[in-house]
mmCIF file of all heavy atoms in Angstrom:
data_model
loop_
_atom_site.group_PDB
_atom_site.id
_atom_site.type_symbol
_atom_site.label_atom_id
_atom_site.label_comp_id
_atom_site.label_asym_id
_atom_site.label_seq_id
_atom_site.Cartn_x
_atom_site.Cartn_y
_atom_site.Cartn_z
ATOM 1 N N TYR J 44 77.516 116.446 108.207
ATOM 2 C CA TYR J 44 77.235 115.079 108.652
ATOM 3 C C TYR J 44 76.705 114.239 107.483
ATOM 4 O O TYR J 44 77.181 113.143 107.218
ATOM 5 C CB TYR J 44 76.213 115.100 109.793
ATOM 6 C CG TYR J 44 75.714 113.723 110.176
ATOM 7 C CD1 TYR J 44 76.419 112.923 111.068
ATOM 8 C CD2 TYR J 44 74.541 113.208 109.612
ATOM 9 C CE1 TYR J 44 75.970 111.647 111.395
ATOM 10 C CE2 TYR J 44 74.086 111.942 109.929
ATOM 11 C CZ TYR J 44 74.804 111.166 110.820
ATOM 12 O OH TYR J 44 74.369 109.908 111.118
ATOM 13 N N VAL J 99 102.029 115.591 125.635
ATOM 14 C CA VAL J 99 102.234 115.531 124.173
ATOM 15 C C VAL J 99 103.683 115.173 123.838
ATOM 16 O O VAL J 99 103.950 114.563 122.797
ATOM 17 C CB VAL J 99 101.779 116.814 123.434
ATOM 18 C CG1 VAL J 99 100.282 116.974 123.528
ATOM 19 C CG2 VAL J 99 102.528 118.036 123.859
ATOM 20 N N LEU J 113 109.862 99.997 113.901
ATOM 21 C CA LEU J 113 109.214 99.475 112.693
ATOM 22 C C LEU J 113 110.173 99.456 111.506
ATOM 23 O O LEU J 113 110.221 98.499 110.745
ATOM 24 C CB LEU J 113 108.016 100.379 112.390
ATOM 25 C CG LEU J 113 106.908 99.922 111.475
ATOM 26 C CD1 LEU J 113 106.351 98.584 111.902
ATOM 27 C CD2 LEU J 113 105.791 100.983 111.505
ATOM 28 N N SER J 125 102.504 116.353 105.685
ATOM 29 C CA SER J 125 102.119 115.315 104.727
ATOM 30 C C SER J 125 103.374 114.894 103.958
ATOM 31 O O SER J 125 104.496 115.299 104.322
ATOM 32 C CB SER J 125 101.026 115.814 103.782
ATOM 33 O OG SER J 125 100.378 114.700 103.167
ATOM 34 N N ASP J 176 112.334 101.888 81.278
ATOM 35 C CA ASP J 176 112.559 101.677 79.844
ATOM 36 C C ASP J 176 111.197 101.390 79.184
ATOM 37 O O ASP J 176 110.510 100.441 79.582
ATOM 38 C CB ASP J 176 113.504 100.470 79.712
ATOM 39 C CG ASP J 176 113.839 100.171 78.274
ATOM 40 O OD1 ASP J 176 113.092 100.620 77.385
ATOM 41 O OD2 ASP J 176 114.839 99.467 78.051
ATOM 42 N N ASN J 179 110.219 97.657 78.222
ATOM 43 C CA ASN J 179 109.836 96.596 79.165
ATOM 44 C C ASN J 179 109.281 97.119 80.489
ATOM 45 O O ASN J 179 108.929 96.341 81.381
ATOM 46 C CB ASN J 179 111.023 95.656 79.435
ATOM 47 C CG ASN J 179 112.201 96.389 80.047
ATOM 48 O OD1 ASN J 179 112.069 97.529 80.474
ATOM 49 N ND2 ASN J 179 113.341 95.738 80.095
ATOM 50 N N LYS J 192 126.391 109.729 85.931
ATOM 51 C CA LYS J 192 127.818 110.065 85.826
ATOM 52 C C LYS J 192 128.037 111.313 84.970
ATOM 53 O O LYS J 192 128.967 112.085 85.224
ATOM 54 C CB LYS J 192 128.590 108.876 85.247
ATOM 55 C CG LYS J 192 128.745 107.772 86.285
ATOM 56 C CD LYS J 192 129.785 106.779 85.906
ATOM 57 C CE LYS J 192 130.349 106.158 87.163
ATOM 58 N NZ LYS J 192 131.204 105.028 86.903
ATOM 59 N N LYS J 213 119.834 98.816 96.560
ATOM 60 C CA LYS J 213 121.295 98.648 96.564
ATOM 61 C C LYS J 213 121.891 99.098 95.224
ATOM 62 O O LYS J 213 122.963 99.717 95.196
ATOM 63 C CB LYS J 213 121.647 97.181 96.849
ATOM 64 C CG LYS J 213 123.134 96.980 96.848
ATOM 65 C CD LYS J 213 123.609 95.666 97.348
ATOM 66 C CE LYS J 213 125.132 95.599 97.391
ATOM 67 N NZ LYS J 213 125.809 96.302 96.308
ATOM 68 N N PRO J 247 118.802 100.538 104.986
ATOM 69 C CA PRO J 247 120.260 100.338 105.085
ATOM 70 C C PRO J 247 121.049 101.074 104.005
ATOM 71 O O PRO J 247 122.239 101.306 104.181
ATOM 72 C CB PRO J 247 120.415 98.817 104.886
ATOM 73 C CG PRO J 247 119.072 98.237 105.132
ATOM 74 C CD PRO J 247 118.079 99.284 104.754
ATOM 75 N N THR J 255 104.590 108.868 103.589
ATOM 76 C CA THR J 255 103.333 109.321 104.175
ATOM 77 C C THR J 255 102.929 108.281 105.217
ATOM 78 O O THR J 255 103.405 107.140 105.184
ATOM 79 C CB THR J 255 102.222 109.426 103.123
ATOM 80 O OG1 THR J 255 102.225 108.238 102.328
ATOM 81 C CG2 THR J 255 102.429 110.615 102.214
ATOM 82 N N HIS J 357 101.898 96.392 94.930
ATOM 83 C CA HIS J 357 100.484 96.563 95.285
ATOM 84 C C HIS J 357 99.669 97.079 94.117
ATOM 85 O O HIS J 357 98.479 97.291 94.258
ATOM 86 C CB HIS J 357 100.378 97.587 96.419
ATOM 87 C CG HIS J 357 100.900 98.936 96.026
ATOM 88 N ND1 HIS J 357 102.168 99.114 95.521
ATOM 89 C CD2 HIS J 357 100.324 100.179 96.033
ATOM 90 C CE1 HIS J 357 102.350 100.395 95.248
ATOM 91 N NE2 HIS J 357 101.248 101.064 95.544
#
Side-chain angles (χ1 to χ4, degrees):
Y44 172 85
V99 294
L113 198 53
S125 199
D176 181 340
N179 61 12
K192 286 196 153 170
K213 180 169 184 324
T255 47
H357 61 306

